[in-house]
Amino acid sequence: KGSSRASVQLAQAAVYFNRKMFANAAKLYQEIAAGAGQTKEHFEALYRLGQCHYQAEDWTAAAKTFTEVWRKSPDADQRKESHRLLVQAKYQAAKGLLGAGEHADAAAALVKLEEEHPGSEYADVLLYNAAEALEKTEKWEDASRVYYDLVNRYPSSKLAPDALFNAASNYEK
């Protein structure tokens, strides 16, 4: 009975989500997650709640929610997708720092994110953006080190040639 109730609530929340009524959907997803124990419905609600936070550009809440699903869900596909969205949410938060001119903090956040999630599909982009942020603070040697990290860790990255060029250019400054 509890499972069928959660299924109905998930369907109701999906209607809100599809209509881009993310706050309403989030409220329902939170209720489902709170009352469903560690069931399939619990993790589905948490995953969808993370998507609501993501769509609302609440990167911190999205990352926190996706982290829980990534670490605890018994569904491998859900864990994999949650991990991808977790990295994206943290990347978006770091981009917000860049947009606010907080280049040193953004660089630190990007490097930390790559260290926490090495080999993620965005790992090379994280390092490249971190190095560019360090260049904006005129920390040329630090920027070069991060560019070299990118090349050494992800030699087949499309960004590797530019990273090598930029690292060499930074040593001239």
Side-chain angles (χ1 to χ4, degrees):
K1 183 177 180 175
S3 179
S4 64
R5 176 176 161 76
S7 295
V8 169
Q9 288 178 306
L10 282 168
Q12 289 172 329
V15 171
Y16 285 129
F17 185 88
N18 291 334
R19 292 183 179 164
K20 300 187 183 334
M21 299 169 71
F22 302 119
N24 293 0
K27 183 178 176 190
L28 266 177
Y29 288 133
Q30 285 172 325
E31 288 175 18
I32 299 163
Q38 295 286 304
T39 63
K40 180 179 90 174
E41 290 83 1
H42 168 80
F43 288 108
E44 182 66 21
L46 277 181
Y47 175 75
R48 299 291 177 191
L49 177 59
Q51 289 183 321
C52 288
H53 293 316
Y54 192 93
Q55 292 298 322
E57 298 183 7
D58 184 345
W59 309 124
T60 302
K64 181 180 177 191
T65 306
F66 287 130
T67 297
E68 184 173 349
V69 177
W70 172 53
R71 289 190 174 147
K72 297 180 181 175
S73 175
D75 182 322
D77 290 336
Q78 195 174 57
R79 283 194 315 272
K80 181 179 178 181
E81 184 62 12
S82 292
H83 182 257
R84 186 181 70 78
L85 291 169
L86 156 65
V87 173
Q88 279 186 358
K90 287 186 173 186
Y91 175 65
Q92 292 297 333
K95 280 180 59 176
L97 293 171
L98 287 172
E102 298 175 34
H103 302 293
D105 289 341
L110 291 162
V111 168
K112 181 180 178 191
L113 182 55
E114 192 280 332
E115 288 171 352
E116 290 174 348
H117 304 278
S120 73
E121 83 182 83
Y122 310 103
D124 58 340
V125 174
L126 298 173
L127 291 176
Y128 194 88
N129 287 337
E132 285 185 323
L134 287 166
E135 288 175 333
K136 290 184 175 154
T137 64
E138 297 184 4
K139 293 187 176 179
W140 309 113
E141 285 184 34
D142 291 342
S144 292
R145 180 186 46 75
V146 174
Y147 281 130
Y148 282 128
D149 287 347
L150 185 160
V151 171
N152 290 327
R153 293 179 194 163
Y154 310 103
S156 60
S157 166
K158 294 184 292 185
L159 299 172
D162 286 343
L164 271 177
F165 177 81
N166 292 348
S169 298
N170 286 342
Y171 276 118
E172 295 176 3
K173 296 179 181 175

